[in-house]
Amino acid sequence: TVRVEWNQMAIEVALDQGVIRAGEASTPILEVELELISGSEDDILALGEILCSKFPLAPEPRSKFFRGLVLSGLVASRK
């Protein structure tokens, strides 16, 4: 995790690589996480758009916890 200050905001940037497991089911994850520490939500969304335009990234609105629940069959998937 690295703390970055950019455009009057502070964010934590983390690379998350691993596996979500639920019983016998599993799915790999490889994510760049941006956590807003201070500043505007609009600024962090703009930064996300910049990163997506420069790298093969896509936003994932579902939490890892929720994806684990879906994987286990405890809740229905939503996109």
Side-chain angles (χ1 to χ4, degrees), residues 2-50:
V2 176
R3 185 179 172 120
V4 176
E5 300 209 6
W6 183 78
N7 264 14
Q8 301 180 10
M9 72 174 163
I11 58 173
E12 283 187 357
V13 181
L15 178 61
D16 192 359
Q17 181 177 8
V19 178
I20 298 172
R21 297 188 198 293
E24 296 294 316
S26 65
T27 187
I29 57 170
L30 179 57
E31 301 176 344
V32 176
E33 295 182 10
L34 304 177
E35 182 177 343
L36 184 62
I37 304 302
S38 66
S40 148
E41 186 175 313
D42 289 340
D43 284 341
I44 198 166
L45 291 173
L47 175 58
E49 288 176 6
I50 290 167

Side-chain angles (χ1 to χ4, degrees), residues 51-76:
L51 292 173
C52 286
S53 73
K54 296 189 178 289
F55 303 100
L57 302 172
E60 174 56 76
R62 301 168 304 159
S63 70
K64 288 184 281 292
F65 176 72
F66 181 80
R67 288 181 276 162
L69 291 175
V70 170
L71 198 57
S72 69
L74 294 173
V75 297

